[in-house]
Amino acid sequence: MSRRVGAPPRGLARSPGGPQAAREALRSAAELLERRALPASELRGALSGRHGAAEVDSALARLHELGYLDDEAWARRYVESRRAGGLGAKLLSRELRARGIEREVVEAVLSGRDELEAACRVGRARRRAARGSRGGAEGRRLAAFLLRRGFEPDVVARGVRALLGDETSGELDGAAGEWRPGPL
């Protein structure tokens, strides 16, 4: 793999610093944000290979001041788009933390969510798609599906009970993560 003649080695800043370098970093950051919204940690990672740490810090601070870089707003949009895919708070929290969002921001974004309503919505859709099985088998399958989607065990148990109603009763064994059908 060869590099372009005159290009700096990877990982090194392209310019020696100063106001011009800060403007270049800000321009690079703006170009990246034009393509798609990014959290600050990902934007920092994308810029750090091309610009020095001081220039990147300056660019991120300026973007925060201007309102173009807001991790909480980005996280709210991310949660709404992922929630449409039927994910629970547990899995969403893990994904946001992996994207570099601070724990306090994650908690603020996920607070006030009705997990039971979300689990029931996802469970109803799954149930329509998997018509046919009844009783304990349906409860087990539905509980396992909701657990994989990142819903907490207590929410899954209440959701399965709400969805299956009188068709079956049972409970979720939180330790084993299994639905145990009750007497029919």
Side-chain angles (χ1 to χ4, degrees), residues 1-10:
M1 181 165 123
S2 65
R3 68 182 169 97
R4 215 175 59 231
V5 174
R10 286 189 164 200

Side-chain angles (χ1 to χ4, degrees), residues 13 34 57 60-61 66 80 86 107 116 118 122-123 126 133 139 143 159 169 180:
E34 260 183 5
D57 289 342
L60 294 181
L66 296 171
E80 289 307 314
E107 290 171 3
L116 180 57
V122 172
R126 176 65 173 204
S133 64
S169 62
R180 299 198 189 285

Side-chain angles (χ1 to χ4, degrees), residues 50-62:
R50 295 182 274 170
H51 303 283
E55 289 81 14
V56 170
D57 289 342
S58 172
L60 294 181
R62 183 67 178 140

Side-chain angles (χ1 to χ4, degrees), residues 134-155:
R134 291 280 175 234
E138 184 179 20
R140 280 192 303 277
R141 287 185 185 126
L142 193 53
F145 173 75
L146 291 172
L147 286 169
R148 286 191 306 271
R149 301 297 280 185
F151 291 98
E152 294 289 341
D154 64 319
V155 172

